[in-house]
């Protein structure tokens, strides 16, 4: 069982439309991450929140937005989906206070853009 | 890229066999983690090995780290069909950073 939950499990989106993915964790972790995973490729870090501070990777800076309204929730927002956004999106969390190296992942949201 | 191998590797073995998966990394790191991702689930950490350790064991798992060659391996003894998964190695993007960077992984299929 995972205590990092992602919704929805599957998401179908049209090209040009916005997409919002949700993640929650119940472990009171201070850091939450979003990774993008495409078939036969490594999970790619998109961004992460440490507390309220957002860090975005340079090569995906303009493609993804995120918000963290409280410690437990984190969203990933795509303003205008393109075909290249089709992928599995993995949310993870960790605690710098307890075990900063270990990430706990959710099951992921599979996004299909048509 | 942080990692030497860019494409998913694939291994297929029979249940009961031992297997070793390798990965190499390009920049200095203080820790290497191994994760396993089963179908339909997110990755889960299996084992973590630090730069001052050459070997780490956990049940049927054994991880090694060679900082001089910047490589790590994960061995599984007496594999089971339930070990079928993708195995990733991962390390910090830079020493002390909070960004975990994954290698492309090994698809391990264990046939009963």
């Amino acid at each position: 069982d995972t205590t990092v939950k992602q919704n929805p499990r599957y998401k179908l989106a049209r090209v040009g439309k916005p997409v919002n993915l949700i993640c929650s964790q119940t472990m009171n972790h201070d850091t939450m991450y979003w990774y993008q995973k495409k078939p036969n490729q490594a999970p790619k870090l998109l961004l992460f929140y440490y507390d309220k501070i957002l860090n975005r990777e340079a090569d995906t800076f303009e493609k993804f937005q995120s918000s963290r309204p409280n410690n437990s929730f984190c969203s990933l927002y795509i303003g205008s989906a393109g075909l290249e956004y089709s992928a599995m999106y993995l949310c993870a969390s960790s605690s710098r206070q307890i075990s900063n190296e270990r990430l706990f992942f959710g099951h992921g949201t599979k996004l299909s853009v048509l | 890229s942080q990692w030497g191998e860019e494409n998913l590797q694939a291994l297929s073995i029979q249940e009961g066999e031992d297997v070793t998966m390798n990965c190499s990394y390009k920049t200095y790191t203080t820790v290497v983690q191994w994760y396993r991702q089963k179908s339909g689930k997110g990755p889960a950490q299996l084992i973590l090995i630090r730069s001052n350790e050459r070997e780490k064991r956990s049940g049927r798992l054994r991880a090694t780290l060679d900082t001089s060659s910047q490589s790590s391996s994960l061995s599984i003894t007496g594999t089971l069909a339930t070990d079928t998964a993708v195995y990733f190695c991962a390390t910090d993007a830079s020493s002390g950073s909070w960004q975990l960077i994954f290698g492309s992984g090994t698809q391990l299929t264990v046939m009963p």
Side-chain angles (χ1 to χ4, degrees):
Chain A
D1 286 9
T2 177
T3 49
V4 177
K5 300 208 179 291
Q6 294 187 240
N7 286 300
R9 196 74 182 259
Y10 302 94
K11 176 77 175 176
L12 192 61
R14 295 292 182 187
V15 170
K17 297 298 185 182
V19 176
N20 196 44
L21 307 179
I22 302 295
C23 176
S24 64
Q25 52 93 8
T26 57
M27 296 172 282
N28 199 33
H29 283 170
D30 49 33
T31 308
M32 295 185 75
Y33 308 79
W34 282 99
Y35 284 82
Q36 179 192 64
K37 188 177 182 319
K38 295 187 176 182
N40 299 331
Q41 294 183 19
K44 175 182 169 56
L45 180 64
L46 299 176
L47 52 88
F48 67 96
Y49 263 101
Y50 170 59
D51 195 16
K52 293 182 173 61
I53 301 170
L54 175 61
N55 297 270
R56 289 187 283 179
E57 292 296 286
D59 59 345
T60 56
F61 189 87
E62 296 180 348
K63 295 183 177 181
F64 300 93
Q65 301 286 333
S66 184
S67 66
R68 191 177 186 188
N70 56 55
N71 177 270
S72 299
F73 289 87
C74 189
S75 67
L76 182 70
Y77 180 76
I78 300 167
S80 177
L83 296 175
E84 71 276 15
Y85 287 86
S86 290
M88 177 72 79
Y89 289 86
L90 296 164
C91 175
S93 68
S94 69
S95 171
R96 297 187 186 187
Q97 307 302 321
I98 300 172
S99 175
N100 55 288
E101 296 107 345
R102 180 177 181 179
L103 267 60
F104 294 81
F105 283 87
H107 286 179
T109 294
K110 186 174 182 180
L111 174 65
S112 298
V113 181
L114 304 174
Chain B
S1 170
Q2 167 75 339
W3 294 97
E5 302 111 353
E6 296 298 334
N7 300 313
L8 181 75
Q9 308 292 311
L11 290 174
S12 185
I13 59 174
Q14 293 293 134
E15 200 170 34
E17 293 181 12
D18 300 343
V19 66
T20 296
M21 293 165 278
N22 300 292
C23 67
S24 59
Y25 53 93
K26 294 180 179 178
T27 59
Y28 174 78
T29 186
T30 59
V31 65
V32 173
Q33 303 184 49
W34 284 88
Y35 284 76
R36 176 175 67 189
Q37 184 174 20
K38 293 191 172 184
S39 180
K41 302 208 170 182
Q45 190 198 64
L46 293 176
I47 199 165
L48 180 154
I49 184 166
R50 300 187 186 279
S51 58
N52 61 351
E53 300 173 306
R54 293 186 63 82
E55 178 183 293
K56 190 86 167 279
R57 291 179 184 266
S58 176
R60 295 183 293 113
L61 305 176
R62 173 177 172 262
T64 66
L65 179 58
D66 184 342
T67 54
S68 63
S69 64
Q70 297 187 164
S71 64
S72 179
S73 72
L74 176 71
S75 298
I76 307 175
T77 57
T79 55
L80 304 169
T82 52
D83 292 326
T84 294
V86 180
Y87 291 79
F88 296 100
C89 50
T91 189
D92 290 349
S94 60
S95 181
S97 80
W98 304 101
Q99 304 168 48
L100 196 63
I101 306 299
F102 285 82
S104 54
T106 298
Q107 170 66 62
L108 176 67
T109 302
V110 182
M111 293 175 289

